[in-house]
Amino acid sequence: MRDLKDSPTAQHIITSDGSSTLFSSVFNQHYHSIHGAVQESMHVFIQAGLRELPTQLTDIRIFEMGFGTGLNALLSCMHKESFSIQYTSIEAYPISEEQVAKLNYPSILSQPDLQQLFQDLHELPWGITRKIREGFSLSKHHTKLQDFSPDEGFDLIYFDAFGPSAQPELWTDDVMTQMAAFLKTGGIFVTYSAKSSVRKGLIRAGLEVEKIPGPPGKREMLRAKKE
């Protein structure tokens, strides 16, 4: 198992929707879909996750497995509506400042204040909680999943680790059981993966699992609920 460290040099890629991603030579995978990084994150995590939460919730706790480029956190902050969000993310292999500077999400999303927001997300020190915007607080942890224990449950989990072929230790039945334990009753788990072993692991963890249409370039993805 790899030690904690900054992410090695990763190649900057422009995906089909014009937005950036990185390619990790260590994991031999892209951080996002080459068919569209922003399209994928919007589809998997915002539309299939954040927008599926009960409308009566006013304070939402989100856990993200894999802070990565910060795109999911940026989109979640942008699409916050009448509720507040406490966003918790862990990352074992943070990308460098140089890699962050190449990412074009603020310009692609065409909102003038997003550059500062994106910088604030990345510049927040590890291990502290800070209000980034009104109604959006962030806590980032430079740690591996097996070393992380939350003090409260979550309403929503974004499971955005590298795929099972690259990080098989993060897609086991034990990890899916851990994710189920992280969820509050009524909570939602979403991931881009539709792998049968992941689906079965979520079912064995006691979650209600459904395959739903995936983002461009991917036929299906998984969403699970804790009833």
mmCIF file of all heavy atoms in Angstrom, residues 16-60:
data_model
loop_
_atom_site.group_PDB
_atom_site.id
_atom_site.type_symbol
_atom_site.label_atom_id
_atom_site.label_comp_id
_atom_site.label_asym_id
_atom_site.label_seq_id
_atom_site.Cartn_x
_atom_site.Cartn_y
_atom_site.Cartn_z
ATOM 1 N N SER A 16 -13.826 16.180 -23.272
ATOM 2 C CA SER A 16 -14.690 16.502 -24.415
ATOM 3 C C SER A 16 -15.615 17.695 -24.191
ATOM 4 O O SER A 16 -16.067 18.309 -25.159
ATOM 5 C CB SER A 16 -15.530 15.276 -24.794
ATOM 6 O OG SER A 16 -14.704 14.247 -25.280
ATOM 7 N N ASP A 17 -15.927 18.027 -22.943
ATOM 8 C CA ASP A 17 -16.774 19.199 -22.705
ATOM 9 C C ASP A 17 -15.950 20.464 -22.484
ATOM 10 O O ASP A 17 -16.490 21.510 -22.119
ATOM 11 C CB ASP A 17 -17.742 18.960 -21.543
ATOM 12 C CG ASP A 17 -17.053 18.834 -20.188
ATOM 13 O OD1 ASP A 17 -15.807 18.872 -20.145
ATOM 14 O OD2 ASP A 17 -17.754 18.682 -19.165
ATOM 15 N N GLY A 18 -14.637 20.369 -22.699
ATOM 16 C CA GLY A 18 -13.760 21.526 -22.558
ATOM 17 C C GLY A 18 -13.149 21.691 -21.185
ATOM 18 O O GLY A 18 -12.282 22.549 -20.986
ATOM 19 N N SER A 19 -13.576 20.878 -20.208
ATOM 20 C CA SER A 19 -13.072 21.011 -18.849
ATOM 21 C C SER A 19 -11.867 20.109 -18.603
ATOM 22 O O SER A 19 -11.665 19.099 -19.277
ATOM 23 C CB SER A 19 -14.182 20.703 -17.836
ATOM 24 O OG SER A 19 -14.695 19.391 -18.009
ATOM 25 N N SER A 20 -11.081 20.483 -17.609
ATOM 26 C CA SER A 20 -9.825 19.809 -17.310
ATOM 27 C C SER A 20 -10.010 18.496 -16.559
ATOM 28 O O SER A 20 -10.976 18.320 -15.820
ATOM 29 C CB SER A 20 -8.952 20.703 -16.420
ATOM 30 O OG SER A 20 -8.647 21.913 -17.020
ATOM 31 N N THR A 21 -9.038 17.630 -16.725
ATOM 32 C CA THR A 21 -8.811 16.553 -15.782
ATOM 33 C C THR A 21 -7.312 16.305 -15.737
ATOM 34 O O THR A 21 -6.526 16.963 -16.436
ATOM 35 C CB THR A 21 -9.589 15.275 -16.125
ATOM 36 O OG1 THR A 21 -9.511 14.375 -15.007
ATOM 37 C CG2 THR A 21 -9.021 14.578 -17.348
ATOM 38 N N LEU A 22 -6.909 15.397 -14.883
ATOM 39 C CA LEU A 22 -5.516 14.984 -14.782
ATOM 40 C C LEU A 22 -5.433 13.489 -15.042
ATOM 41 O O LEU A 22 -6.376 12.754 -14.761
ATOM 42 C CB LEU A 22 -4.959 15.293 -13.386
ATOM 43 C CG LEU A 22 -4.956 16.764 -12.948
ATOM 44 C CD1 LEU A 22 -4.564 16.868 -11.484
ATOM 45 C CD2 LEU A 22 -4.024 17.591 -13.812
ATOM 46 N N PHE A 23 -4.308 13.053 -15.562
ATOM 47 C CA PHE A 23 -4.053 11.622 -15.731
ATOM 48 C C PHE A 23 -2.925 11.233 -14.798
ATOM 49 O O PHE A 23 -1.829 11.785 -14.857
ATOM 50 C CB PHE A 23 -3.676 11.281 -17.168
ATOM 51 C CG PHE A 23 -3.349 9.826 -17.363
ATOM 52 C CD1 PHE A 23 -4.370 8.888 -17.481
ATOM 53 C CD2 PHE A 23 -2.033 9.385 -17.402
ATOM 54 C CE1 PHE A 23 -4.076 7.542 -17.641
ATOM 55 C CE2 PHE A 23 -1.725 8.046 -17.565
ATOM 56 C CZ PHE A 23 -2.752 7.119 -17.684
ATOM 57 N N SER A 24 -3.199 10.282 -13.905
ATOM 58 C CA SER A 24 -2.208 9.801 -12.958
ATOM 59 C C SER A 24 -1.425 8.645 -13.563
ATOM 60 O O SER A 24 -2.003 7.597 -13.876
ATOM 61 C CB SER A 24 -2.884 9.341 -11.663
ATOM 62 O OG SER A 24 -1.957 8.648 -10.842
ATOM 63 N N SER A 25 -0.114 8.830 -13.697
ATOM 64 C CA SER A 25 0.715 7.749 -14.211
ATOM 65 C C SER A 25 0.908 6.654 -13.171
ATOM 66 O O SER A 25 1.179 5.505 -13.516
ATOM 67 C CB SER A 25 2.081 8.302 -14.642
ATOM 68 O OG SER A 25 2.722 8.956 -13.556
ATOM 69 N N VAL A 26 0.746 6.986 -11.894
ATOM 70 C CA VAL A 26 0.885 5.990 -10.829
ATOM 71 C C VAL A 26 -0.306 5.033 -10.828
ATOM 72 O O VAL A 26 -0.157 3.816 -10.775
ATOM 73 C CB VAL A 26 1.029 6.674 -9.451
ATOM 74 C CG1 VAL A 26 0.968 5.638 -8.321
ATOM 75 C CG2 VAL A 26 2.338 7.445 -9.390
ATOM 76 N N PHE A 27 -1.521 5.592 -10.904
ATOM 77 C CA PHE A 27 -2.726 4.766 -10.890
ATOM 78 C C PHE A 27 -3.193 4.401 -12.297
ATOM 79 O O PHE A 27 -4.125 3.609 -12.450
ATOM 80 C CB PHE A 27 -3.842 5.480 -10.136
ATOM 81 C CG PHE A 27 -3.583 5.604 -8.663
ATOM 82 C CD1 PHE A 27 -3.150 6.801 -8.117
ATOM 83 C CD2 PHE A 27 -3.753 4.514 -7.824
ATOM 84 C CE1 PHE A 27 -2.901 6.911 -6.755
ATOM 85 C CE2 PHE A 27 -3.512 4.612 -6.460
ATOM 86 C CZ PHE A 27 -3.073 5.820 -5.920
ATOM 87 N N ASN A 28 -2.569 5.017 -13.310
ATOM 88 C CA ASN A 28 -2.910 4.747 -14.709
ATOM 89 C C ASN A 28 -4.385 5.018 -14.990
ATOM 90 O O ASN A 28 -5.051 4.264 -15.702
ATOM 91 C CB ASN A 28 -2.545 3.298 -15.095
ATOM 92 C CG ASN A 28 -2.482 3.096 -16.602
ATOM 93 O OD1 ASN A 28 -2.086 4.004 -17.338
ATOM 94 N ND2 ASN A 28 -2.887 1.931 -17.068
ATOM 95 N N GLN A 29 -4.884 6.095 -14.409
ATOM 96 C CA GLN A 29 -6.287 6.465 -14.588
ATOM 97 C C GLN A 29 -6.426 7.978 -14.626
ATOM 98 O O GLN A 29 -5.623 8.714 -14.048
ATOM 99 C CB GLN A 29 -7.162 5.894 -13.458
ATOM 100 C CG GLN A 29 -7.360 4.396 -13.528
ATOM 101 C CD GLN A 29 -8.587 3.949 -12.760
ATOM 102 O OE1 GLN A 29 -9.228 4.711 -12.050
ATOM 103 N NE2 GLN A 29 -8.929 2.682 -12.909
ATOM 104 N N HIS A 30 -7.483 8.426 -15.298
ATOM 105 C CA HIS A 30 -7.857 9.832 -15.267
ATOM 106 C C HIS A 30 -8.644 10.124 -13.986
ATOM 107 O O HIS A 30 -9.349 9.254 -13.464
ATOM 108 C CB HIS A 30 -8.730 10.182 -16.478
ATOM 109 C CG HIS A 30 -8.006 10.094 -17.782
ATOM 110 N ND1 HIS A 30 -7.975 8.937 -18.544
ATOM 111 C CD2 HIS A 30 -7.285 11.024 -18.468
ATOM 112 C CE1 HIS A 30 -7.266 9.153 -19.629
ATOM 113 N NE2 HIS A 30 -6.843 10.412 -19.629
ATOM 114 N N TYR A 31 -8.548 11.351 -13.528
ATOM 115 C CA TYR A 31 -9.313 11.765 -12.355
ATOM 116 C C TYR A 31 -10.807 11.885 -12.677
ATOM 117 O O TYR A 31 -11.646 11.739 -11.788
ATOM 118 C CB TYR A 31 -8.806 13.108 -11.836
ATOM 119 C CG TYR A 31 -7.559 13.012 -10.973
ATOM 120 C CD1 TYR A 31 -6.344 12.600 -11.509
ATOM 121 C CD2 TYR A 31 -7.596 13.337 -9.622
ATOM 122 C CE1 TYR A 31 -5.205 12.518 -10.723
ATOM 123 C CE2 TYR A 31 -6.467 13.264 -8.826
ATOM 124 C CZ TYR A 31 -5.271 12.850 -9.385
ATOM 125 O OH TYR A 31 -4.133 12.759 -8.606
ATOM 126 N N HIS A 32 -11.120 12.185 -13.928
ATOM 127 C CA HIS A 32 -12.506 12.334 -14.362
ATOM 128 C C HIS A 32 -12.669 11.688 -15.728
ATOM 129 O O HIS A 32 -11.694 11.317 -16.382
ATOM 130 C CB HIS A 32 -12.887 13.822 -14.467
ATOM 131 C CG HIS A 32 -12.618 14.621 -13.241
ATOM 132 N ND1 HIS A 32 -13.422 14.558 -12.134
ATOM 133 C CD2 HIS A 32 -11.625 15.498 -12.943
ATOM 134 C CE1 HIS A 32 -12.938 15.368 -11.199
ATOM 135 N NE2 HIS A 32 -11.854 15.941 -11.668
ATOM 136 N N SER A 33 -13.899 11.596 -16.166
ATOM 137 C CA SER A 33 -14.179 11.027 -17.481
ATOM 138 C C SER A 33 -13.605 11.907 -18.584
ATOM 139 O O SER A 33 -13.775 13.134 -18.574
ATOM 140 C CB SER A 33 -15.691 10.892 -17.681
ATOM 141 O OG SER A 33 -15.987 10.571 -19.026
ATOM 142 N N ILE A 34 -12.967 11.285 -19.584
ATOM 143 C CA ILE A 34 -12.463 12.042 -20.737
ATOM 144 C C ILE A 34 -13.617 12.524 -21.611
ATOM 145 O O ILE A 34 -13.427 13.372 -22.480
ATOM 146 C CB ILE A 34 -11.469 11.214 -21.563
ATOM 147 C CG1 ILE A 34 -12.133 9.952 -22.122
ATOM 148 C CG2 ILE A 34 -10.235 10.877 -20.741
ATOM 149 C CD1 ILE A 34 -11.271 9.199 -23.122
ATOM 150 N N HIS A 35 -14.834 12.012 -21.393
ATOM 151 C CA HIS A 35 -16.008 12.463 -22.134
ATOM 152 C C HIS A 35 -16.557 13.783 -21.589
ATOM 153 O O HIS A 35 -17.491 14.343 -22.171
ATOM 154 C CB HIS A 35 -17.103 11.388 -22.092
ATOM 155 C CG HIS A 35 -16.690 10.101 -22.734
ATOM 156 N ND1 HIS A 35 -16.670 9.928 -24.094
ATOM 157 C CD2 HIS A 35 -16.251 8.940 -22.191
ATOM 158 C CE1 HIS A 35 -16.253 8.700 -24.375
ATOM 159 N NE2 HIS A 35 -15.992 8.091 -23.248
ATOM 160 N N GLY A 36 -15.978 14.249 -20.489
ATOM 161 C CA GLY A 36 -16.410 15.518 -19.910
ATOM 162 C C GLY A 36 -16.314 15.487 -18.398
ATOM 163 O O GLY A 36 -17.147 14.851 -17.744
ATOM 164 N N ALA A 37 -15.320 16.171 -17.840
ATOM 165 C CA ALA A 37 -15.116 16.148 -16.392
ATOM 166 C C ALA A 37 -16.281 16.805 -15.656
ATOM 167 O O ALA A 37 -16.855 16.232 -14.723
ATOM 168 C CB ALA A 37 -13.803 16.839 -16.042
ATOM 169 N N VAL A 38 -16.646 18.019 -16.076
ATOM 170 C CA VAL A 38 -17.745 18.714 -15.407
ATOM 171 C C VAL A 38 -19.063 17.982 -15.632
ATOM 172 O O VAL A 38 -19.869 17.823 -14.708
ATOM 173 C CB VAL A 38 -17.832 20.183 -15.882
ATOM 174 C CG1 VAL A 38 -19.143 20.823 -15.425
ATOM 175 C CG2 VAL A 38 -16.653 20.985 -15.346
ATOM 176 N N GLN A 39 -19.297 17.515 -16.860
ATOM 177 C CA GLN A 39 -20.521 16.756 -17.148
ATOM 178 C C GLN A 39 -20.650 15.546 -16.235
ATOM 179 O O GLN A 39 -21.724 15.253 -15.707
ATOM 180 C CB GLN A 39 -20.521 16.265 -18.602
ATOM 181 C CG GLN A 39 -20.874 17.301 -19.635
ATOM 182 C CD GLN A 39 -21.003 16.691 -21.025
ATOM 183 O OE1 GLN A 39 -21.931 16.989 -21.743
ATOM 184 N NE2 GLN A 39 -20.081 15.836 -21.399
ATOM 185 N N GLU A 40 -19.552 14.805 -16.057
ATOM 186 C CA GLU A 40 -19.580 13.610 -15.217
ATOM 187 C C GLU A 40 -19.896 13.961 -13.772
ATOM 188 O O GLU A 40 -20.768 13.350 -13.147
ATOM 189 C CB GLU A 40 -18.248 12.876 -15.288
ATOM 190 C CG GLU A 40 -18.211 11.632 -14.397
ATOM 191 C CD GLU A 40 -16.831 11.050 -14.245
ATOM 192 O OE1 GLU A 40 -15.857 11.830 -14.101
ATOM 193 O OE2 GLU A 40 -16.711 9.818 -14.249
ATOM 194 N N SER A 41 -19.188 14.933 -13.212
ATOM 195 C CA SER A 41 -19.407 15.290 -11.811
ATOM 196 C C SER A 41 -20.811 15.828 -11.575
ATOM 197 O O SER A 41 -21.446 15.520 -10.558
ATOM 198 C CB SER A 41 -18.361 16.317 -11.366
ATOM 199 O OG SER A 41 -17.089 15.720 -11.249
ATOM 200 N N MET A 42 -21.306 16.635 -12.506
ATOM 201 C CA MET A 42 -22.671 17.138 -12.377
ATOM 202 C C MET A 42 -23.677 15.986 -12.381
ATOM 203 O O MET A 42 -24.602 15.953 -11.566
ATOM 204 C CB MET A 42 -22.983 18.107 -13.530
ATOM 205 C CG MET A 42 -22.493 19.518 -13.314
ATOM 206 S SD MET A 42 -23.311 20.351 -11.915
ATOM 207 C CE MET A 42 -25.025 20.299 -12.434
ATOM 208 N N HIS A 43 -23.511 15.055 -13.289
ATOM 209 C CA HIS A 43 -24.457 13.945 -13.429
ATOM 210 C C HIS A 43 -24.413 13.018 -12.218
ATOM 211 O O HIS A 43 -25.451 12.698 -11.624
ATOM 212 C CB HIS A 43 -24.130 13.160 -14.695
ATOM 213 C CG HIS A 43 -25.070 12.022 -14.956
ATOM 214 N ND1 HIS A 43 -26.124 12.109 -15.847
ATOM 215 C CD2 HIS A 43 -25.134 10.766 -14.434
ATOM 216 C CE1 HIS A 43 -26.791 10.963 -15.854
ATOM 217 N NE2 HIS A 43 -26.196 10.131 -15.012
ATOM 218 N N VAL A 44 -23.209 12.572 -11.856
ATOM 219 C CA VAL A 44 -23.067 11.540 -10.823
ATOM 220 C C VAL A 44 -23.320 12.092 -9.429
ATOM 221 O O VAL A 44 -24.048 11.476 -8.629
ATOM 222 C CB VAL A 44 -21.664 10.904 -10.894
ATOM 223 C CG1 VAL A 44 -21.455 9.913 -9.744
ATOM 224 C CG2 VAL A 44 -21.458 10.203 -12.233
ATOM 225 N N PHE A 45 -22.738 13.242 -9.119
ATOM 226 C CA PHE A 45 -22.742 13.698 -7.731
ATOM 227 C C PHE A 45 -23.789 14.777 -7.435
ATOM 228 O O PHE A 45 -24.388 14.760 -6.352
ATOM 229 C CB PHE A 45 -21.336 14.171 -7.348
ATOM 230 C CG PHE A 45 -20.318 13.081 -7.519
ATOM 231 C CD1 PHE A 45 -19.382 13.133 -8.530
ATOM 232 C CD2 PHE A 45 -20.332 11.975 -6.686
ATOM 233 C CE1 PHE A 45 -18.457 12.109 -8.709
ATOM 234 C CE2 PHE A 45 -19.426 10.935 -6.856
ATOM 235 C CZ PHE A 45 -18.479 10.998 -7.866
ATOM 236 N N ILE A 46 -24.030 15.678 -8.356
ATOM 237 C CA ILE A 46 -25.015 16.736 -8.100
ATOM 238 C C ILE A 46 -26.424 16.257 -8.446
ATOM 239 O O ILE A 46 -27.321 16.239 -7.595
ATOM 240 C CB ILE A 46 -24.657 18.019 -8.877
ATOM 241 C CG1 ILE A 46 -23.228 18.477 -8.547
ATOM 242 C CG2 ILE A 46 -25.679 19.117 -8.547
ATOM 243 C CD1 ILE A 46 -22.946 18.707 -7.078
ATOM 244 N N GLN A 47 -26.629 15.842 -9.700
ATOM 245 C CA GLN A 47 -27.977 15.461 -10.116
ATOM 246 C C GLN A 47 -28.453 14.163 -9.461
ATOM 247 O O GLN A 47 -29.591 14.075 -8.998
ATOM 248 C CB GLN A 47 -28.023 15.350 -11.640
ATOM 249 C CG GLN A 47 -27.824 16.686 -12.338
ATOM 250 C CD GLN A 47 -27.651 16.576 -13.844
ATOM 251 O OE1 GLN A 47 -27.613 15.484 -14.403
ATOM 252 N NE2 GLN A 47 -27.523 17.704 -14.504
ATOM 253 N N ALA A 48 -27.585 13.147 -9.409
ATOM 254 C CA ALA A 48 -27.996 11.854 -8.848
ATOM 255 C C ALA A 48 -27.821 11.789 -7.339
ATOM 256 O O ALA A 48 -28.323 10.855 -6.705
ATOM 257 C CB ALA A 48 -27.200 10.722 -9.505
ATOM 258 N N GLY A 49 -27.133 12.768 -6.760
ATOM 259 C CA GLY A 49 -26.870 12.752 -5.332
ATOM 260 C C GLY A 49 -27.483 13.922 -4.601
ATOM 261 O O GLY A 49 -28.519 13.812 -3.947
ATOM 262 N N LEU A 50 -26.863 15.095 -4.728
ATOM 263 C CA LEU A 50 -27.294 16.272 -3.966
ATOM 264 C C LEU A 50 -28.751 16.623 -4.217
ATOM 265 O O LEU A 50 -29.497 16.936 -3.283
ATOM 266 C CB LEU A 50 -26.386 17.457 -4.326
ATOM 267 C CG LEU A 50 -26.589 18.744 -3.530
ATOM 268 C CD1 LEU A 50 -26.338 18.525 -2.040
ATOM 269 C CD2 LEU A 50 -25.674 19.850 -4.066
ATOM 270 N N ARG A 51 -29.190 16.550 -5.479
ATOM 271 C CA ARG A 51 -30.563 16.934 -5.803
ATOM 272 C C ARG A 51 -31.584 15.857 -5.464
ATOM 273 O O ARG A 51 -32.790 16.087 -5.621
ATOM 274 C CB ARG A 51 -30.649 17.326 -7.284
ATOM 275 C CG ARG A 51 -29.933 18.637 -7.567
ATOM 276 C CD ARG A 51 -29.974 19.039 -9.017
ATOM 277 N NE ARG A 51 -29.376 20.366 -9.211
ATOM 278 C CZ ARG A 51 -29.052 20.871 -10.391
ATOM 279 N NH1 ARG A 51 -29.266 20.162 -11.507
ATOM 280 N NH2 ARG A 51 -28.506 22.068 -10.495
ATOM 281 N N GLU A 52 -31.130 14.701 -5.017
ATOM 282 C CA GLU A 52 -32.041 13.630 -4.623
ATOM 283 C C GLU A 52 -32.323 13.626 -3.125
ATOM 284 O O GLU A 52 -33.145 12.840 -2.650
ATOM 285 C CB GLU A 52 -31.466 12.272 -5.035
ATOM 286 C CG GLU A 52 -31.481 12.017 -6.530
ATOM 287 C CD GLU A 52 -32.889 11.908 -7.090
ATOM 288 O OE1 GLU A 52 -33.710 11.173 -6.498
ATOM 289 O OE2 GLU A 52 -33.174 12.561 -8.119
ATOM 290 N N LEU A 53 -31.651 14.478 -2.373
ATOM 291 C CA LEU A 53 -31.883 14.529 -0.932
ATOM 292 C C LEU A 53 -33.259 15.124 -0.634
ATOM 293 O O LEU A 53 -33.772 15.935 -1.407
ATOM 294 C CB LEU A 53 -30.801 15.373 -0.256
ATOM 295 C CG LEU A 53 -29.397 14.748 -0.203
ATOM 296 C CD1 LEU A 53 -28.399 15.765 0.323
ATOM 297 C CD2 LEU A 53 -29.386 13.490 0.662
ATOM 298 N N PRO A 54 -33.861 14.732 0.479
ATOM 299 C CA PRO A 54 -35.181 15.274 0.840
ATOM 300 C C PRO A 54 -35.164 16.794 0.914
ATOM 301 O O PRO A 54 -34.232 17.400 1.458
ATOM 302 C CB PRO A 54 -35.455 14.651 2.220
ATOM 303 C CG PRO A 54 -34.628 13.406 2.238
ATOM 304 C CD PRO A 54 -33.392 13.721 1.449
ATOM 305 N N THR A 55 -36.192 17.415 0.386
ATOM 306 C CA THR A 55 -36.234 18.875 0.311
ATOM 307 C C THR A 55 -36.361 19.529 1.680
ATOM 308 O O THR A 55 -36.047 20.711 1.828
ATOM 309 C CB THR A 55 -37.408 19.325 -0.574
ATOM 310 O OG1 THR A 55 -38.627 18.762 -0.060
ATOM 311 C CG2 THR A 55 -37.214 18.882 -2.009
ATOM 312 N N GLN A 56 -36.791 18.758 2.680
ATOM 313 C CA GLN A 56 -36.976 19.363 4.000
ATOM 314 C C GLN A 56 -35.674 19.503 4.781
ATOM 315 O O GLN A 56 -35.638 20.163 5.825
ATOM 316 C CB GLN A 56 -37.984 18.559 4.834
ATOM 317 C CG GLN A 56 -37.537 17.162 5.248
ATOM 318 C CD GLN A 56 -37.977 16.109 4.238
ATOM 319 O OE1 GLN A 56 -38.176 16.421 3.068
ATOM 320 N NE2 GLN A 56 -38.151 14.874 4.708
ATOM 321 N N LEU A 57 -34.584 18.902 4.296
ATOM 322 C CA LEU A 57 -33.306 19.038 4.986
ATOM 323 C C LEU A 57 -32.805 20.475 4.887
ATOM 324 O O LEU A 57 -32.848 21.092 3.832
ATOM 325 C CB LEU A 57 -32.264 18.093 4.375
ATOM 326 C CG LEU A 57 -32.419 16.597 4.650
ATOM 327 C CD1 LEU A 57 -31.327 15.811 3.924
ATOM 328 C CD2 LEU A 57 -32.359 16.302 6.142
ATOM 329 N N THR A 58 -32.305 20.994 5.993
ATOM 330 C CA THR A 58 -31.771 22.356 5.997
ATOM 331 C C THR A 58 -30.259 22.381 6.229
ATOM 332 O O THR A 58 -29.586 23.320 5.823
ATOM 333 C CB THR A 58 -32.450 23.203 7.077
ATOM 334 O OG1 THR A 58 -32.295 22.565 8.354
ATOM 335 C CG2 THR A 58 -33.935 23.368 6.770
ATOM 336 N N ASP A 59 -29.746 21.362 6.895
ATOM 337 C CA ASP A 59 -28.310 21.250 7.153
ATOM 338 C C ASP A 59 -27.847 19.895 6.647
ATOM 339 O O ASP A 59 -28.237 18.859 7.194
ATOM 340 C CB ASP A 59 -28.005 21.384 8.645
ATOM 341 C CG ASP A 59 -28.417 22.740 9.195
ATOM 342 O OD1 ASP A 59 -27.822 23.736 8.779
ATOM 343 O OD2 ASP A 59 -29.351 22.788 10.019
ATOM 344 N N ILE A 60 -27.015 19.905 5.623
ATOM 345 C CA ILE A 60 -26.609 18.676 4.949
ATOM 346 C C ILE A 60 -25.137 18.399 5.212
ATOM 347 O O ILE A 60 -24.290 19.292 5.088
ATOM 348 C CB ILE A 60 -26.850 18.790 3.431
ATOM 349 C CG1 ILE A 60 -28.354 18.855 3.152
ATOM 350 C CG2 ILE A 60 -26.220 17.627 2.670
ATOM 351 C CD1 ILE A 60 -28.692 19.199 1.726
#
